[in-house]
PDB file of all heavy atoms in Angstrom:
ATOM      1  N   LYS A 128       8.044  10.830   2.595  1.00 95.00           N
ATOM      2  CA  LYS A 128       9.184  10.880   3.528  1.00 95.00           C
ATOM      3  C   LYS A 128       8.940  11.911   4.624  1.00 95.00           C
ATOM      4  O   LYS A 128       9.183  11.650   5.814  1.00 95.00           O
ATOM      5  CB  LYS A 128      10.462  11.213   2.762  1.00 95.00           C
ATOM      6  CG  LYS A 128      11.688  11.368   3.654  1.00 95.00           C
ATOM      7  CD  LYS A 128      12.887  11.885   2.871  1.00 95.00           C
ATOM      8  CE  LYS A 128      14.070  12.159   3.785  1.00 95.00           C
ATOM      9  NZ  LYS A 128      15.194  12.794   3.055  1.00 95.00           N
ATOM     10  N   GLU A 132       8.672  11.262   8.713  1.00 97.00           N
ATOM     11  CA  GLU A 132       9.494  11.965   9.701  1.00 97.00           C
ATOM     12  C   GLU A 132       8.637  12.651  10.753  1.00 97.00           C
ATOM     13  O   GLU A 132       8.996  12.689  11.936  1.00 97.00           O
ATOM     14  CB  GLU A 132      10.374  12.993   8.998  1.00 97.00           C
ATOM     15  CG  GLU A 132      11.489  12.394   8.156  1.00 97.00           C
ATOM     16  CD  GLU A 132      12.387  13.452   7.557  1.00 97.00           C
ATOM     17  OE1 GLU A 132      11.975  14.077   6.552  1.00 97.00           O
ATOM     18  OE2 GLU A 132      13.497  13.662   8.083  1.00 97.00           O
ATOM     19  N   ARG A 135       6.176   9.489  12.462  1.00 96.00           N
ATOM     20  CA  ARG A 135       7.006   8.422  13.023  1.00 96.00           C
ATOM     21  C   ARG A 135       6.215   7.147  13.341  1.00 96.00           C
ATOM     22  O   ARG A 135       6.241   6.625  14.465  1.00 96.00           O
ATOM     23  CB  ARG A 135       7.739   8.889  14.287  1.00 96.00           C
ATOM     24  CG  ARG A 135       8.687  10.037  14.076  1.00 96.00           C
ATOM     25  CD  ARG A 135       9.759   9.737  13.069  1.00 96.00           C
ATOM     26  NE  ARG A 135      10.599   8.603  13.455  1.00 96.00           N
ATOM     27  CZ  ARG A 135      11.572   8.100  12.691  1.00 96.00           C
ATOM     28  NH1 ARG A 135      11.809   8.607  11.499  1.00 96.00           N
ATOM     29  NH2 ARG A 135      12.292   7.090  13.111  1.00 96.00           N
ATOM     30  N   GLU A 154      16.887   5.492  -4.150  1.00 91.00           N
ATOM     31  CA  GLU A 154      16.717   6.750  -3.415  1.00 91.00           C
ATOM     32  C   GLU A 154      15.743   6.573  -2.259  1.00 91.00           C
ATOM     33  O   GLU A 154      15.987   7.061  -1.143  1.00 91.00           O
ATOM     34  CB  GLU A 154      16.205   7.836  -4.362  1.00 91.00           C
ATOM     35  CG  GLU A 154      15.869   9.139  -3.650  1.00 91.00           C
ATOM     36  CD  GLU A 154      15.045  10.088  -4.510  1.00 91.00           C
ATOM     37  OE1 GLU A 154      14.852   9.805  -5.706  1.00 91.00           O
ATOM     38  OE2 GLU A 154      14.573  11.110  -3.957  1.00 91.00           O
ATOM     39  N   VAL A 155      14.643   5.879  -2.512  1.00 92.00           N
ATOM     40  CA  VAL A 155      13.646   5.659  -1.469  1.00 92.00           C
ATOM     41  C   VAL A 155      14.241   4.864  -0.312  1.00 92.00           C
ATOM     42  O   VAL A 155      14.077   5.218   0.860  1.00 92.00           O
ATOM     43  CB  VAL A 155      12.411   4.941  -2.044  1.00 92.00           C
ATOM     44  CG1 VAL A 155      11.480   4.465  -0.926  1.00 92.00           C
ATOM     45  CG2 VAL A 155      11.666   5.863  -3.000  1.00 92.00           C
ATOM     46  N   LEU A 156      14.962   3.791  -0.624  1.00 93.00           N
ATOM     47  CA  LEU A 156      15.566   2.971   0.423  1.00 93.00           C
ATOM     48  C   LEU A 156      16.618   3.755   1.201  1.00 93.00           C
ATOM     49  O   LEU A 156      16.732   3.620   2.425  1.00 93.00           O
ATOM     50  CB  LEU A 156      16.179   1.714  -0.196  1.00 93.00           C
ATOM     51  CG  LEU A 156      15.176   0.735  -0.833  1.00 93.00           C
ATOM     52  CD1 LEU A 156      15.912  -0.400  -1.535  1.00 93.00           C
ATOM     53  CD2 LEU A 156      14.213   0.178   0.206  1.00 93.00           C
ATOM     54  N   ALA A 157      17.383   4.590   0.495  1.00 94.00           N
ATOM     55  CA  ALA A 157      18.387   5.412   1.167  1.00 94.00           C
ATOM     56  C   ALA A 157      17.732   6.450   2.073  1.00 94.00           C
ATOM     57  O   ALA A 157      18.190   6.696   3.201  1.00 94.00           O
ATOM     58  CB  ALA A 157      19.280   6.097   0.137  1.00 94.00           C
ATOM     59  N   ASP A 158      16.647   7.043   1.602  1.00 93.00           N
ATOM     60  CA  ASP A 158      15.926   8.025   2.420  1.00 93.00           C
ATOM     61  C   ASP A 158      15.368   7.378   3.683  1.00 93.00           C
ATOM     62  O   ASP A 158      15.428   7.970   4.775  1.00 93.00           O
ATOM     63  CB  ASP A 158      14.774   8.632   1.617  1.00 93.00           C
ATOM     64  CG  ASP A 158      15.239   9.675   0.608  1.00 93.00           C
ATOM     65  OD1 ASP A 158      16.410  10.095   0.686  1.00 93.00           O
ATOM     66  OD2 ASP A 158      14.427  10.061  -0.253  1.00 93.00           O
ATOM     67  N   LEU A 159      14.811   6.183   3.546  1.00 96.00           N
ATOM     68  CA  LEU A 159      14.274   5.486   4.716  1.00 96.00           C
ATOM     69  C   LEU A 159      15.373   5.199   5.727  1.00 96.00           C
ATOM     70  O   LEU A 159      15.185   5.360   6.935  1.00 96.00           O
ATOM     71  CB  LEU A 159      13.588   4.191   4.279  1.00 96.00           C
ATOM     72  CG  LEU A 159      12.247   4.375   3.561  1.00 96.00           C
ATOM     73  CD1 LEU A 159      11.805   3.064   2.909  1.00 96.00           C
ATOM     74  CD2 LEU A 159      11.170   4.862   4.519  1.00 96.00           C
ATOM     75  N   ASP A 160      16.523   4.785   5.245  1.00 94.00           N
ATOM     76  CA  ASP A 160      17.656   4.537   6.137  1.00 94.00           C
ATOM     77  C   ASP A 160      18.076   5.828   6.842  1.00 94.00           C
ATOM     78  O   ASP A 160      18.356   5.821   8.046  1.00 94.00           O
ATOM     79  CB  ASP A 160      18.819   3.958   5.335  1.00 94.00           C
ATOM     80  CG  ASP A 160      20.005   3.610   6.213  1.00 94.00           C
ATOM     81  OD1 ASP A 160      19.887   2.693   7.049  1.00 94.00           O
ATOM     82  OD2 ASP A 160      21.057   4.264   6.067  1.00 94.00           O
ATOM     83  N   ASP A 161      18.087   6.938   6.112  1.00 94.00           N
ATOM     84  CA  ASP A 161      18.506   8.218   6.680  1.00 94.00           C
ATOM     85  C   ASP A 161      17.588   8.681   7.812  1.00 94.00           C
ATOM     86  O   ASP A 161      18.045   9.349   8.744  1.00 94.00           O
ATOM     87  CB  ASP A 161      18.531   9.301   5.593  1.00 94.00           C
ATOM     88  CG  ASP A 161      19.696   9.137   4.629  1.00 94.00           C
ATOM     89  OD1 ASP A 161      20.646   8.400   4.957  1.00 94.00           O
ATOM     90  OD2 ASP A 161      19.642   9.751   3.544  1.00 94.00           O
ATOM     91  N   ILE A 162      16.298   8.331   7.729  1.00 94.00           N
ATOM     92  CA  ILE A 162      15.367   8.797   8.759  1.00 94.00           C
ATOM     93  C   ILE A 162      15.074   7.716   9.802  1.00 94.00           C
ATOM     94  O   ILE A 162      14.133   7.836  10.579  1.00 94.00           O
ATOM     95  CB  ILE A 162      14.054   9.329   8.141  1.00 94.00           C
ATOM     96  CG1 ILE A 162      13.302   8.236   7.380  1.00 94.00           C
ATOM     97  CG2 ILE A 162      14.349  10.512   7.231  1.00 94.00           C
ATOM     98  CD1 ILE A 162      11.938   8.692   6.839  1.00 94.00           C
ATOM     99  N   GLY A 163      15.883   6.657   9.797  1.00 94.00           N
ATOM    100  CA  GLY A 163      15.817   5.689  10.888  1.00 94.00           C
ATOM    101  C   GLY A 163      14.912   4.506  10.688  1.00 94.00           C
ATOM    102  O   GLY A 163      14.422   3.919  11.659  1.00 94.00           O
ATOM    103  N   TYR A 164      14.681   4.124   9.427  1.00 96.00           N
ATOM    104  CA  TYR A 164      13.857   2.954   9.140  1.00 96.00           C
ATOM    105  C   TYR A 164      14.703   1.864   8.482  1.00 96.00           C
ATOM    106  O   TYR A 164      15.476   2.141   7.563  1.00 96.00           O
ATOM    107  CB  TYR A 164      12.696   3.298   8.207  1.00 96.00           C
ATOM    108  CG  TYR A 164      11.554   4.009   8.884  1.00 96.00           C
ATOM    109  CD1 TYR A 164      11.596   5.383   9.090  1.00 96.00           C
ATOM    110  CD2 TYR A 164      10.431   3.307   9.336  1.00 96.00           C
ATOM    111  CE1 TYR A 164      10.546   6.049   9.709  1.00 96.00           C
ATOM    112  CE2 TYR A 164       9.386   3.958   9.962  1.00 96.00           C
ATOM    113  CZ  TYR A 164       9.443   5.330  10.149  1.00 96.00           C
ATOM    114  OH  TYR A 164       8.410   5.981  10.775  1.00 96.00           O
TER     115      TYR A 164
END
Side-chain angles (χ1 to χ4, degrees):
K128 177 188 175 186
E132 290 184 282
R135 299 301 300 176
E154 174 194 352
V155 169
L156 295 174
D158 283 348
L159 287 168
D160 183 66
D161 287 344
I162 62 176
Y164 283 83

